[in-house]
């Protein structure tokens, strides 16, 4: 039984109620009381406050039996909106989600510069446009979360973005000064892991998400929280050395995993053998269907080095679920079987390995979900993705 002062207990009960309403989508007061072992009086008092605040709405369900129609509670999806941003190299993606996690708007803006001042101005202008667009609803934009493809400290300072050559950048502080709103900055792989946990793997306590695009990142969710390491830089698994004295990497080492098992490495190799031919995901898929020996060899190497890194990760973390975020894996038939064939260790233990169903939207979707969680102040967030 939770003990403490009345305001603390009320806050904890509120968080528990919101969590279960989100998880179920729709639930009656009676079922809510049974699910979380709170009295009906406590539920009624809390729900009354949530209705007054327009965070919860009531719906009469269709009911063919004798008796009163059950009144169902659900989160008021349009009471406010979360803004998620994915700051990639060459483009920035914006997504707006309602409070139930459904994406209601997206936009991608190409970037032709890496200058911090120019990108800061673009972000400010775009965010202010979204704030104005959703100002009419009760809470407007409830949170802003930006995914960074680089090192983010525990204080949310951008330590380093290789593709932009940014060092010690205070993007969060610079945006908040002008916007007058809270902004959160988070590593993109962490946000991808959060999206997987929030929308698909509700019962998973320990989840790893490996992102395999321009580089390789590792998002880690342990006991429903991010594992960040001492300074916030944990998860830079792409710079694990898998080939001693191998290909040089921008990090300063040689033989890093992402030089062999990222999608960027595959595209570079295919471009070299195809000598300037247009290389897209669809074209690689087409070459594989046609039995192209050169592309098949490159993909075989991709699976081989990917399995080496995954074997290392599994033995270090002993995860429950591993999610691989890669468009190439989604396009390649039997990709998981090809990876498992390379993993022979008898001491590697995990429950499940899957390919992400979200894809490249995982970062921005995770950013929206994190903004919702912070606004609603729930300890864990379980949302439905239809």
């Amino acid at each position: 039984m939770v003990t403490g002062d009345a305001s603390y207990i009320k806050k904890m009960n509120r968080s528990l109620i919101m969590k279960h309403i989100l998880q179920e989508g729709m639930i009656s007061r009676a079922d809510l009381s049974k699910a979380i072992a709170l009295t009906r009086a406590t539920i009624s008092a809390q729900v009354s406050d949530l209705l007054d605040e327009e965070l919860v709405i009531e719906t009469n369900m269709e009911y063919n039996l004798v008796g009163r129609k059950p009144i169902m509670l659900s989160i008021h999806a349009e009471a406010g909106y979360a803004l998620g941003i994915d700051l990639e190299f060459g483009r920035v993606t914006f997504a707006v989600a309602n409070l139930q996690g459904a994406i209601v708007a997206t936009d991608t803006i190409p970037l032709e510069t890496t200058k911090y001042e120019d990108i800061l101005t673009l972000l400010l202008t775009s965010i202010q446009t979204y704030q104005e667009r959703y100002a009419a609803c009760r809470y407007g934009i409830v949170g802003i979360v930006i995914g960074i493809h680089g090192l983010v400290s525990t204080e949310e300072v951008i330590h380093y973005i290789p593709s932009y050559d940014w060092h010690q950048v205070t993007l969060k502080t610079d945006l908040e000064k002008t916007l007058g709103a809270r902004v959160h900055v988070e590593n993109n792989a962490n946000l991808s892991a959060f999206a997987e946990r929030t929308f698909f793997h509700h019962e998973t306590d320990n989840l790893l998400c490996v992102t395999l695009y321009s580089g390789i990142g590792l998002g880690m969710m342990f006991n429903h929280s991010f594992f960040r390491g001492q300074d916030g830089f944990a998860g830079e698994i792409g710079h694990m050395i898998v080939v001693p004295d191998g290909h040089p990497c921008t990090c300063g080492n040689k033989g890093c995993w992402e030089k062999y098992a990222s999608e960027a490495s595959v595209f570079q190799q295919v471009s070299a053998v195809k000598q300037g031919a247009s290389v897209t995901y669809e074209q690689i898929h087409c070459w594989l269907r046609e039995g192209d020996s050169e592309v098949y060899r490159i993909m075989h190497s991709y699976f081989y080095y990917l399995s080496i890194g995954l074997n290392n990760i599994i033995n270090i973390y002993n995860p429950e679920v591993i999610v691989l975020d890669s468009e190439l894996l989604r396009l390649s038939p039997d990709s998981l079987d090809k990876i498992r064939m390379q993993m022979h260790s008898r001491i590697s233990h995990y429950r499940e390995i899957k390919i992400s169903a979200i894809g490249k939207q995982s970062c921005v979707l995770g950013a929206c979900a994190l903004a919702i969680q912070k606004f609603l102040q729930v300890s864990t967030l379980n949302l439905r993705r239809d």
Side-chain angles (χ1 to χ4, degrees):
M1 179 177 178
V2 177
T3 60
D5 62 48
S7 62
Y8 175 76
I9 294 174
K10 183 176 181 180
K11 180 179 178 181
M12 295 298 293
N13 287 341
R14 176 190 174 101
S15 175
L16 198 57
I17 289 168
M18 293 292 282
K19 172 189 170 182
H20 277 269
I21 295 175
L22 282 163
Q23 182 174 331
E24 297 301 323
M26 298 184 75
I27 189 170
S28 69
R29 286 172 174 81
D31 288 340
L32 191 55
S33 178
K34 293 176 185 176
I36 57 181
L38 292 176
T39 66
R40 293 198 180 191
T42 299
I43 295 291
S44 294
Q46 288 274 2
V47 167
S48 178
D49 289 343
L50 293 171
L51 288 169
D52 289 342
E53 295 170 34
E54 298 182 27
L55 289 173
V56 166
I57 57 174
E58 295 178 316
T59 305
N60 286 312
M61 292 290 291
E62 291 295 328
Y63 190 65
N64 297 322
L65 301 177
V66 176
R68 296 174 59 185
K69 292 182 179 180
I71 298 175
M72 308 299 285
L73 303 170
S74 60
I75 296 298
H76 186 187
E78 287 76 37
Y81 295 87
L83 177 59
I85 303 171
D86 184 5
L87 182 58
E88 300 180 75
F89 180 70
R91 67 179 186 176
V92 56
T93 301
F94 299 85
V96 178
N98 65 28
L99 294 185
Q100 292 180 355
I103 299 296
V104 298
T106 59
D107 188 28
T108 299
I109 300 176
L111 294 176
E112 298 179 355
T113 178
T114 60
K115 291 183 179 179
Y116 176 68
E117 294 77 12
D118 294 341
I119 294 176
L120 175 63
T121 299
L122 183 149
L123 289 173
L124 281 169
T125 302
S126 299
I127 292 171
Q128 287 170 332
T129 299
Y130 283 109
Q131 286 177 322
E132 293 170 4
R133 186 180 302 173
Y134 294 94
C137 67
R138 174 70 183 263
Y139 295 100
I141 294 295
V142 301
I144 303 160
V145 176
I146 304 175
I148 300 298
H149 295 242
L151 299 177
V152 180
S153 75
T154 51
E155 290 79 26
E156 298 185 56
V157 173
I158 299 173
H159 178 68
Y160 180 46
I161 301 181
S163 58
Y164 284 100
D165 197 28
W166 288 0
H167 301 263
Q168 297 302 122
V169 172
T170 56
L171 178 63
K172 168 186 170 72
T173 303
D174 294 341
L175 288 172
E176 288 180 341
K177 285 178 182 176
T178 300
L179 296 172
R182 291 293 299 275
V183 176
H184 293 281
V185 177
E186 184 57 77
N187 173 266
N188 70 297
N190 281 347
L191 292 176
S192 293
F194 191 70
E196 296 290 344
R197 166 63 187 79
T198 298
F199 290 97
F200 291 99
H201 302 279
H202 293 171
E203 304 306 319
T204 301
D205 289 333
N206 300 311
L207 179 145
L208 302 181
C209 181
V210 185
T211 57
L212 295 156
Y213 296 108
S214 57
I216 300 180
L218 178 65
M220 296 173 280
M221 297 289 299
F222 293 139
N223 297 321
H224 312 303
S225 298
F226 293 128
F227 178 78
R228 305 176 187 276
Q230 174 65 29
D231 301 307
F233 306 150
E236 290 299 315
I237 203 71
H239 299 288
M240 168 178 59
I241 295 173
V242 296
V243 180
D245 204 30
H247 299 318
C249 181
T250 55
C251 77
N253 280 326
K254 293 182 179 180
C256 291
W257 191 29
E258 67 181 38
K259 304 304 294 183
Y260 298 85
S262 66
E263 291 192 349
S265 69
V266 172
F267 274 78
Q268 289 170 0
Q269 293 176 69
V270 173
S271 294
V273 299
K274 293 302 180 182
Q275 298 182 347
S278 176
V279 180
T280 63
Y281 289 111
E282 292 73 20
Q283 185 58 63
I284 289 177
H285 192 210
C286 180
W287 282 323
L288 289 173
R289 287 200 313 267
E290 293 171 354
D292 188 293
S293 60
E294 292 177 316
V295 176
Y296 181 85
R297 174 184 57 80
I298 292 169
M299 287 299 295
H300 178 76
S301 176
Y302 175 57
F303 292 128
Y304 172 70
Y305 284 109
L306 183 54
S307 65
I308 290 176
L310 290 175
N311 184 78
N312 293 341
I313 292 171
I314 290 166
N315 286 333
I316 292 170
Y317 294 108
N318 181 214
E320 185 177 2
V321 174
I322 306 170
V323 181
L324 306 179
D325 190 357
S326 165
E327 189 67 21
L328 284 177
L329 295 182
R330 280 186 287 274
L331 290 173
S332 180
D334 305 320
S335 55
L336 282 181
D337 290 337
K338 292 174 182 176
I339 292 170
R340 291 191 186 101
M341 286 175 60
Q342 307 282 353
M343 300 171 67
H344 308 298
S345 175
R346 290 192 294 270
I347 64 170
S348 295
H349 289 89
Y350 60 94
R351 192 193 77 200
E352 186 177 21
I353 183 167
K354 298 191 68 172
I355 297 173
S356 172
I358 307 175
K360 285 194 171 183
Q361 269 198 321
S362 62
C363 173
V364 74
L365 191 62
C368 289
L370 187 59
I372 293 169
Q373 183 188 41
K374 289 181 178 296
F375 172 67
L376 296 179
Q377 298 182 345
V378 292
S379 58
T380 58
L381 186 68
N382 295 336
L383 297 173
R384 298 167 176 265
R385 185 164 171 82
D386 299 324

